[in-house]
Amino acid sequence: MKQHDAMYIDGGWRPAEGRGTIEVVNPADGQVIATVPAGSAQDVDAAVRAARAALPGWAATPPQERAARLAALRDQLVARADEIAATVTAELGAPLAFSKAVHAGVPIAVCGSYAELAGTYAFEEKIGNSTVLHEPVGVVGAITPWNYPLHQVVAKVAPALAAGCTVVLKPAEDTPLVAQLFAECVDAAGIPAGVFNLVTGLGPVAGQALAAHDGIDLVSFTGSTAVGRKIGALAGAAVKRVALELGGKSANVILPSADLAKAVAVGVANVMANSGQTCSAWTRMLVHRDRCDEAVELAAAAAAKYVPGEKIGPLVNATQQARVRGYIERGVAEGARLVAGGPEAPLAAGCYVRPTVFADVTPEMTIAQEEIFGPVLSILAYEDEDDAARIANGTVYGLAGAVWAGDEAEAVAFARRLETGQVDINGGRFNPLAPFGGYKQSGVGRELGRHGLTEYLQTKSLQF
């Protein structure tokens, strides 16, 4: 891909109004690999004005034509999948095989799902003597994180475009290069000028300007709960809609009847994926007290297979590395037993953290309550199912989780007790059509599939 020292606004690359730049650093070796413009409020305003000008035409475009443009966008992503994977590996540090399978593969599947849905969704329906219209909410401000930099872009942009909305995207400053590549794909797919716009920049500057802009009708944000609160406050002041996908502290509940070896192996893999930088990761493993020692031994052995620099990549930057190592030190200080990993840096260079497993964790410990966002697993013992449900639900978060049992009905019965937006039963596969989002402080709204599309629609009824 060509690196762009510019913003993608109104169908073309234009110089930024802001004069600063942002260095893009490869966290595996600390080398600067690119620079991008640090967009200003003026850049955001130009992008929003372009999106507003394009809105009437795109909203009036027949759904089948919008579907065709999304299908063309999917085809562009397929054609450039290897380049996408290499770009994410360079700016995020994920192992290349993981980038190919997940960072490139999942957005392709999601984009394809909205290409199909845009052509089949009932944007009009009859209810008694009324015709109910589902219309685009308007101009969307999309603010995306660095941990899944293309997936989170596509999970917002694709349903917004399918709904007939126009978009201004502000990607994370750590991983802006794959967003530029996405803009090239949008352009090549023939999506009209102004329908999609890209402004790179810092969150407190470009992100805040986007969330507060009067020309934005809906803000869709994925990131920390702390930043989500601020964005919700900005949007609330203008009575504009928000969709917030925030933090998590998900529980992996292994019931006594489960295949313990399989549940532990899959649970450790889930935590270590993407270097632990996954909001839905099952970072708390709950095991019956009678089987806890066995689970700890299995988890420690599984974590040891994740060799830094080989099977597991670095964290996104030095700040995140220091943050995660600080949590590990706090876990030790609060009395948790370290059975794998630790706070020491595993390699001389790069933002790596040792894959870490704690045993003897109690529910009130910091590492059992706060989102660490690194390759750190806490194992907690429970006495019975009521105790397991109390522990699992005992955080401010409710994003995801897992339940394992010998009998599927037993697992489903327990899953119904969990206060969380998504639960995997006995290792259930990821479904790009299923709604994703959280209870409690894990967010507002849903992404993916039909439920993700409805976030970008508003309803009008006509009575006859």
Side-chain angles (χ1 to χ4, degrees):
M1 90 176 251
K2 175 186 176 183
Q3 181 196 332
H4 297 279
D5 186 22
M7 309 293 186
Y8 184 77
I9 296 175
D10 202 19
W13 296 93
R14 63 168 66 177
E17 296 288 340
R19 296 184 179 180
T21 59
I22 298 170
E23 291 184 339
V24 183
V25 177
N26 184 336
D29 57 17
Q31 297 298 307
V32 176
I33 57 174
T35 61
V36 299
S40 65
Q42 290 76 20
D43 294 306
V44 170
D45 183 63
V48 173
R49 284 189 283 107
R52 291 222 71 85
L55 178 61
W58 185 246
T61 299
Q64 291 74 18
E65 176 58 23
R66 297 201 297 262
R69 292 305 96 210
L70 284 168
L73 176 57
R74 175 206 56 210
D75 293 345
Q76 289 294 320
L77 296 176
V78 169
R80 302 184 70 174
D82 288 345
E83 191 177 358
I84 289 167
T87 301
V88 174
T89 291
E91 59 184 350
L92 179 64
L96 186 58
F98 187 81
S99 289
K100 288 181 177 180
V102 176
H103 288 295
V106 172
I108 289 169
V110 171
C111 190
S113 74
Y114 281 111
E116 181 175 347
L117 190 57
T120 59
Y121 186 82
F123 289 97
E124 295 188 15
E125 59 178 323
K126 290 289 293 183
I127 301 177
N129 66 308
S130 300
T131 297
V132 178
L133 310 179
H134 301 285
E135 300 179 334
V137 70
V139 178
V140 173
I143 303 174
T144 56
W146 44 260
N147 60 326
Y148 289 90
L150 184 59
H151 166 61
Q152 295 291 354
V153 167
V154 172
K156 298 180 189 306
V157 174
L161 298 190
C165 297
T166 57
V167 180
V168 178
L169 169 67
K170 205 296 285 182
E173 50 262 37
D174 288 291
T175 54
L177 301 182
V178 76
Q180 290 189 340
L181 195 159
F182 178 76
E184 293 179 358
C185 292
V186 167
D187 195 76
I191 292 172
V195 170
F196 170 82
N197 307 272
L198 169 68
V199 176
T200 55
L202 301 174
V205 180
Q208 182 167 323
L210 185 59
H213 199 289
D214 290 342
I216 293 294
D217 299 297
L218 181 150
V219 181
S220 181
F221 168 78
T222 297
S224 71
T225 297
V227 176
R229 289 193 193 100
K230 296 177 182 177
I231 288 175
L234 285 170
V239 198
K240 67 178 66 173
R241 283 171 52 178
V242 294
L244 303 173
E245 198 268 280
L246 307 176
K249 194 68 184 175
S250 301
N252 180 17
V253 182
I254 305 175
L255 297 177
S257 63
D259 180 338
L260 185 66
K262 181 179 180 181
V264 170
V266 175
V268 170
N270 176 277
V271 172
M272 300 305 162
N274 209 40
S275 304
Q277 300 171 129
T278 304
C279 55
S280 58
W282 311 332
T283 52
R284 295 180 298 146
M285 182 179 289
L286 277 57
V287 185
H288 191 277
R289 190 169 298 281
D290 292 346
R291 305 194 74 185
C292 210
D293 289 344
E294 184 183 356
V296 168
E297 184 177 342
L298 288 168
K305 298 177 182 178
Y306 288 83
V307 179
E310 297 178 15
K311 195 172 182 180
I312 191 168
L315 299 190
V316 69
N317 55 40
T319 300
Q320 185 67 9
Q321 179 193 36
R323 179 178 181 273
V324 173
R325 291 171 66 184
Y327 271 112
I328 296 172
E329 291 170 350
R330 189 162 182 179
V332 172
E334 291 184 1
R337 177 163 57 96
L338 199 61
V339 297
E344 303 84 6
L347 298 172
C351 301
Y352 292 92
V353 170
R354 294 177 184 272
T356 297
V357 177
F358 280 107
D360 302 335
V361 178
T362 56
E364 71 277 1
M365 288 182 178
T366 302
I367 58 172
Q369 288 292 320
E370 297 184 12
E371 184 176 42
I372 298 173
F373 228 60
V376 181
L377 171 65
S378 296
I379 302 179
L380 298 89
Y382 66 84
E383 302 296 337
D384 54 29
E385 287 196 14
D386 288 342
D387 191 38
R390 178 187 63 81
I391 295 170
N393 294 331
T395 76
V396 299
Y397 298 110
L399 186 56
V403 180
W404 301 78
D407 178 69
E408 184 176 287
E410 179 188 5
V412 170
F414 189 88
R416 292 180 182 276
R417 303 178 67 179
L418 295 181
E419 298 167 355
T420 186
Q422 191 170 84
V423 184
D424 292 349
I425 304 297
N426 289 336
R429 294 181 295 109
F430 171 73
N431 180 2
L433 300 180
F436 179 79
Y439 286 21
K440 301 189 284 189
Q441 292 188 29
S442 285
V444 177
R446 292 295 182 268
E447 293 187 326
L448 304 181
R450 179 173 57 84
H451 293 272
L453 176 61
T454 60
E455 291 292 331
Y456 300 94
L457 295 169
Q458 55 191 349
T459 305
K460 176 189 294 178
S461 62
L462 309 178
Q463 281 61 248
F464 295 90

